[in-house]
Amino acid sequence: MILAEVVRSGFVESVHHGSVVVLDSAGAVKDSAGDVSSPIFPRSSNKPLQTVGMLRAGLRPRESADLALMSGSHLGEPFHAQRAREILAAAGLGPEALGCPPALPASEDDRDAVVRAGGGPQRILMNCSGKHAGMLATCVANGWTVESYRDAGHPLQAALAQTVTELVGEPIAATGVDGCGAPVFAFSLTALARSFLRLVDAEPGSAERRVADAMRAHPELVHGTGGDDTVLMSGLPGLLAKGGAEGVQAVAVPGVGAVAFKISDGAARARMPVLHAALRRLGVDGPVPEVAVLGGGEPVGEVRAAW
């Protein structure tokens, strides 16, 4: 199904296929396109569900903001790295315990600053360092070994898989290795949307609601300055959003519904136009970032929803 078109000077020069599901407030399918029942890897859209699993397994965060970073894909800004260090320090660990690969900040300005200062890639700057710090802290809280925490058979990952299975309401179809080296679980887009709806509709004080509330209260820790998820949660009160690699996005609005989709070719540029079209089907409008097509450094077109 074609979900988005790339328009340059009035001419459609590219299209993006994908699948999308829109749920109403009761979790029933309100609209859909493409295959929304076969499993996909939600990539980083898994993170809020994994954070719920950490809380259930005994994680005791210092403050709710820590949960936002653990659930996020940050840009490697200084305040992201500092909080990740503090989470590790509270567990008696240092950045060397992280199992995610070294990286430079995803934020261009901060990447340039690191390089100008003579620095290079660091594990603490990788966009998943918050999640990994949370996983390590959960291991320490339970007395589990930290050296093999990324292994799918580790007690931590078994606990997280159990929580994810419950939240999505269907069996995990496959377990893969995410870009950061930690396990990633496969399930359907419909299950992903329903899990986000469960987070925002959960009872106050529950693990699910604590994660949702932390992310919405601290969107800058979930993504970063100017990031799509930051803009969405800052501009649409109550909305929970988490994007994932390879063109995945999940959002939920309490009392309204939820959306999940995947762009088949993994193109990030198609995500926001498709999300805007999906939210309109729920009667939700707001500052969803637009995607311009440039020519000579000036806007000459757009990426627009075709669904």
Side-chain angles (χ1 to χ4, degrees):
M1 174 75 181
I2 295 177
L3 296 185
E5 299 173 333
V6 182
V7 182
R8 179 181 297 276
S9 303
F11 181 83
V12 176
E13 67 172 347
S14 300
V15 297
H16 295 289
H17 295 77
S19 300
V20 54
V21 64
V22 180
L23 306 183
D24 64 19
S25 60
V29 176
K30 182 180 179 69
D31 202 352
S32 68
D35 184 356
V36 299
S37 59
S38 295
I40 63 149
F41 280 134
R43 302 297 298 272
S44 285
S45 295
N46 259 319
K47 287 178 178 176
L49 313 183
Q50 291 170 308
T51 307
V52 173
M54 294 180 212
L55 285 173
R56 291 185 179 181
L59 173 68
R60 297 291 181 267
R62 302 170 306 134
E63 53 190 25
S64 64
D66 289 350
L67 298 175
L69 188 76
M70 294 172 190
S71 304
S73 300
H74 64 73
L75 298 181
E77 296 173 89
F79 62 93
H80 294 134
Q82 181 59 30
R83 184 167 292 273
R85 289 190 184 93
E86 291 170 355
I87 293 170
L88 290 167
L93 300 171
E96 68 280 356
L98 292 169
C100 53
L104 288 168
S107 164
E108 185 174 346
D109 289 344
D110 291 296
R111 182 169 63 248
D112 291 347
V114 169
V115 173
R116 283 196 300 269
Q122 301 175 47
R123 297 182 191 276
I124 202 75
L125 298 176
M126 198 266 173
N127 71 333
C128 297
S129 67
K131 177 181 76 175
H132 282 255
M135 288 181 171
L136 286 163
T138 305
C139 288
V140 170
N142 285 279
W144 295 331
T145 178
V146 299
E147 288 76 15
S148 58
Y149 77 93
R150 300 187 315 171
D151 294 350
H154 190 282
L156 168 72
Q157 302 302 340
L160 301 191
Q162 181 178 355
T163 292
V164 170
T165 299
E166 178 189 329
L167 292 174
V168 303
E170 66 182 43
I172 291 172
T175 299
V177 180
D178 213 335
C180 65
V184 60
F185 306 121
F187 41 85
S188 71
L189 283 170
T190 302
L192 176 61
R194 285 182 177 147
S195 70
F196 270 58
L197 201 55
R198 288 190 174 103
L199 264 60
V200 298
D201 286 343
E203 289 293 322
S206 64
E208 297 92 323
R209 186 64 175 274
R210 288 174 65 190
V211 171
D213 287 350
M215 292 174 66
R216 292 179 292 188
H218 305 281
E220 73 286 351
L221 292 175
V222 176
H223 201 169
T225 305
D228 289 341
D229 289 330
T230 304
V231 172
L232 290 167
M233 288 189 283
S234 298
L236 295 168
L239 181 140
L240 177 69
K242 185 67 191 77
E246 299 301 322
V248 177
Q249 182 73 48
V251 306
V253 182
V256 177
V259 173
F261 61 82
K262 175 173 172 56
I263 307 303
S264 296
D265 64 1
R269 66 181 179 179
R271 289 188 307 115
M272 291 302 103
V274 172
L275 178 59
H276 194 194
L279 288 175
R280 286 203 306 267
R281 284 163 165 80
L282 290 172
V284 175
D285 203 2
V288 178
E290 296 182 353
V291 183
V293 172
L294 302 180
E298 300 294 330
V300 296
E302 65 177 339
V303 182
R304 69 187 184 194
W307 167 69

